[in-house]
Amino acid sequence: MSVLAIDAGTTGVTAVVVEHDGSIAAKGYEEFAQHFPRPGWVEHSPEEIWQATLQAVRDVLQGYDAARLEAVGITNQRETVLLWDRETLGSPRRAIVWQDRRTADLCTRLREAGHEQRVSELTGLRLDPYFSGTKLMWLAENEPHTWALVESGRYAIGTVDSYLIARMTRGTWHATDVSNACRTLLFDLAAGDWSDELCALFGVPRDALPELVPNWGEIATTDPRSFLDLSLPISGLAGDQQSALFGQTCFDEGDSKCTYGTGSFILTNTGSTIPHSDAGLLATAAWRSPDGALTYASEGAIFVTGAAVQWLRDGLQLVGSAAETEPLARTVPDTGGVVFVPALTGLGAPHWDPHARGTIVGITRGTTRAHLVRATLEAIAFEVRDVLETLAGAGAGLSALRVDGGASANNLLCQIQADQIGVPVERPATVETTALGAAFLAGLGAGVWDSTDDLRETWTLDRRFEPQLDRAAADAAHAQWTRAVERSKGWAD
């Protein structure tokens, strides 16, 4: 028995087949275009996401017998919002991506009107362009003709998961789960449902939003006419970071993981308790079981980590691939005094400054591309340390940090991370834990696995990185980073 998992990320779609022992039997990947119509704006074409999904699944099925598949699970970039025609499934405009900063002034307006405390109380979030609600408010104010079709019921609103479900089922289902819904600014964490109060505040018609379904169980069924001749139950669903928490088998209160993706996200399972933080962390729904029980998590969201490496590759062309960063960075013993703050789309936790911008300080005539690449890896580790310190002191309460995502394959990054937080970093044998979580959820929903205890047995360690750097040296490097962060803040109007 095996499960197909679709991980619809920010820069591409990964499809994997996961066997009963947790191993990945087949994998496909397809990138899609990033659109930047103005500085600070980031958009995706829904159709390009769909075509990338189909191609990634085609790649998987070239080397795997589709008849062995029991179910499909979906995980996705979360706060990105899409509109589509309920009949034709075509989209009237490009999706507004979670990294998009266009609503910074709108957030300021809402904050000055006194709404932030109530929004935070209900949602566990803050007024930041990161989240979906202000994106929808912007659409209503700036594209009234499009928005009129949302209000009339012709256009549906959703995140990437609900869009893919609509495409995979020929428009039969309009559904999402709590882990995606809770990132929209329209979801009441305590009630576990869409909030009429928040929908009214942001001007979003509740009827346009998806139905809320459990994270595993009978959700929908794919239509073979739309989905590559496959008729499979869609039985698992989760936003990417909650999916990675599930894929890392962080089922107990206090379990933590860090995913290095386009951004980096540190989540800690808080059980049935909604976490509260005055220090820049978010409260989020982790998952809802078929019996209705909600599990929550505390989250530190860092906007740009892997995307900084992508920028080195595509923007500056300093490297030909992400894999080149480790050997190049190892050619120098340190950064030569260079510090890079990758606030390319503002700063997330714990600073929350949408007006911050990328900053490189300490450049001299002796600076080489190797120094800048090493500074980028250090920046990722510093950003994660900042979040962990906000959680309760760097490494405090942690016996180890479980890591995953593409950049976790970089041994130098993992070592720098262990040195900075002062506790071991554990990398599992399968670092595609976001996709793995979607497969686990779908497999639970379809009976491939009987319980979370079965899933725990699939987790195996690849490598453990012990701290090696002297704490005084680690702290001095971090102090230099903190100075640079302050210089990056408030740069853009």
Side-chain angles (χ1 to χ4, degrees):
M1 294 191 295
S2 60
V3 178
L4 173 66
I6 295 169
D7 177 3
T10 305
T11 56
V13 179
T14 301
V16 300
V17 172
V18 178
E19 300 284 9
H20 188 265
D21 63 0
S23 64
I24 291 179
K27 179 179 175 180
Y29 177 72
E30 185 73 14
E31 280 197 2
F32 53 79
Q34 309 292 303
H35 301 279
F36 308 102
R38 294 188 193 176
W41 290 26
V42 189
E43 296 184 344
H44 292 157
S45 161
E47 185 62 30
E48 289 173 356
I49 293 174
W50 174 236
Q51 292 303 324
T53 301
L54 292 175
Q55 188 56 50
V57 175
R58 281 191 200 101
D59 290 346
V60 161
L61 297 181
Q62 281 182 356
Y64 196 83
D65 180 9
R68 296 190 60 210
L69 297 174
E70 297 288 332
V72 58
I74 300 171
T75 183
N76 59 288
Q77 52 163 319
R78 295 174 298 179
E79 297 80 6
T80 297
V81 288
L82 305 84
L83 306 179
W84 64 92
D85 189 302
R86 293 179 189 268
E87 294 296 323
T88 69
L89 304 182
S91 296
R93 70 167 337 274
R94 289 197 294 239
I96 303 179
V97 179
W98 60 271
Q99 297 166 311
D100 192 283
R101 303 277 93 190
R102 77 185 65 185
T103 67
D105 290 343
L106 207 159
C107 291
T108 299
R109 192 175 88 202
L110 289 166
R111 194 175 296 114
E112 290 176 348
H115 293 298
E116 183 155 54
Q117 183 175 345
R118 180 59 175 163
V119 168
S120 180
E121 181 184 312
L122 289 172
T123 67
L125 309 177
R126 55 198 299 127
L127 288 172
D128 187 88
Y130 178 28
F131 304 110
S132 314
T134 58
K135 296 175 173 63
L136 296 170
M137 197 172 185
W138 184 93
L139 284 172
E141 292 184 2
N142 290 274
E143 299 179 10
H145 296 298
T146 299
W147 196 253
L149 292 172
V150 173
E151 293 182 322
S152 72
R154 179 170 173 179
Y155 288 164
I157 292 171
T159 41
V160 172
D161 60 312
S162 48
Y163 171 71
L164 289 182
I165 290 171
R167 296 302 300 257
M168 293 163 74
T169 66
R170 288 180 75 86
T172 306
W173 293 91
H174 186 37
T176 192
D177 76 296
V178 295
S179 68
N180 279 290
C182 73
R183 313 296 293 187
T184 61
L185 293 171
L186 304 173
F187 180 83
D188 184 327
L189 266 186
D193 201 359
W194 299 118
S195 163
D196 289 332
E197 179 183 345
L198 293 168
C199 285
L201 174 63
F202 291 98
V204 176
R206 183 166 173 167
D207 288 347
L209 297 172
E211 174 191 355
L212 293 170
V213 297
N215 287 82
W216 67 92
E218 297 180 10
I219 296 169
T221 303
T222 66
D223 188 316
R225 293 170 294 175
S226 297
F227 191 55
L228 304 174
D229 296 324
L230 296 173
S231 179
L232 291 170
I234 302 172
S235 54
L237 202 59
D240 52 9
Q241 302 313 316
Q242 292 93 329
S243 186
L245 189 70
F246 206 86
Q248 285 275 34
T249 68
C250 293
F251 304 136
D252 295 333
E253 192 170 334
D255 288 349
S256 300
K257 68 88 195 174
C258 173
T259 297
Y260 302 104
T262 301
S264 285
F265 299 85
I266 299 94
L267 265 69
T268 299
N269 185 327
T270 62
S272 59
T273 302
I274 299 175
H276 296 284
S277 170
D278 296 323
L281 297 179
L282 306 173
T284 198
W287 47 77
R288 174 186 272 154
S289 62
D291 66 6
L294 262 168
T295 296
Y296 297 95
S298 180
E299 176 173 336
I302 303 164
F303 295 154
V304 173
T305 53
V309 175
Q310 189 181 42
W311 176 68
L312 295 181
R313 183 193 71 186
D314 300 338
L316 298 187
Q317 298 181 350
L318 294 185
V319 293
S321 69
E324 291 178 22
T325 58
E326 180 176 351
L328 182 57
R330 287 189 184 276
T331 65
V332 291
D334 52 43
T335 68
V338 173
V339 181
F340 173 30
V341 182
L344 307 181
T345 58
L347 286 171
H351 309 285
W352 294 104
D353 183 355
H355 300 291
R357 286 297 178 265
T359 305
I360 304 171
V361 297
I363 298 172
T364 68
R365 288 193 63 182
T367 299
T368 67
R369 67 189 185 112
H371 291 118
L372 185 53
V373 169
R374 191 175 182 107
T376 302
L377 299 182
E378 288 195 358
I380 294 170
F382 290 143
E383 290 181 295
V384 171
R385 172 174 170 168
D386 286 348
V387 169
L388 289 174
E389 284 188 337
T390 305
L391 276 165
L398 279 180
S399 56
L401 178 67
R402 288 189 170 183
V403 298
D404 57 75
S408 66
N410 189 310
N411 292 329
L412 179 58
L413 170 60
C414 291
Q415 186 58 58
I416 294 169
Q417 190 69 81
D419 290 341
Q420 278 299 316
I421 63 177
V423 299
V425 165
E426 293 181 346
R427 183 175 65 203
T430 300
V431 296
E432 295 277 6
T433 52
T434 304
L436 197 61
F440 284 172
L441 289 163
L444 275 182
V448 175
W449 294 282
D450 293 329
S451 68
T452 53
D453 289 336
D454 286 349
L455 296 174
R456 275 196 182 91
E457 294 178 8
T458 68
W459 194 94
T460 54
L461 179 70
D462 170 52
R463 184 165 170 182
R464 183 179 171 98
F465 297 84
E466 299 283 351
Q468 296 176 355
L469 190 64
D470 173 76
R471 288 312 302 160
D475 290 345
H478 183 257
Q480 190 89 317
W481 154 262
T482 301
R483 288 176 59 206
V485 169
E486 290 306 311
R487 296 187 180 199
S488 78
K489 290 181 177 179
W491 184 262
D493 293 330

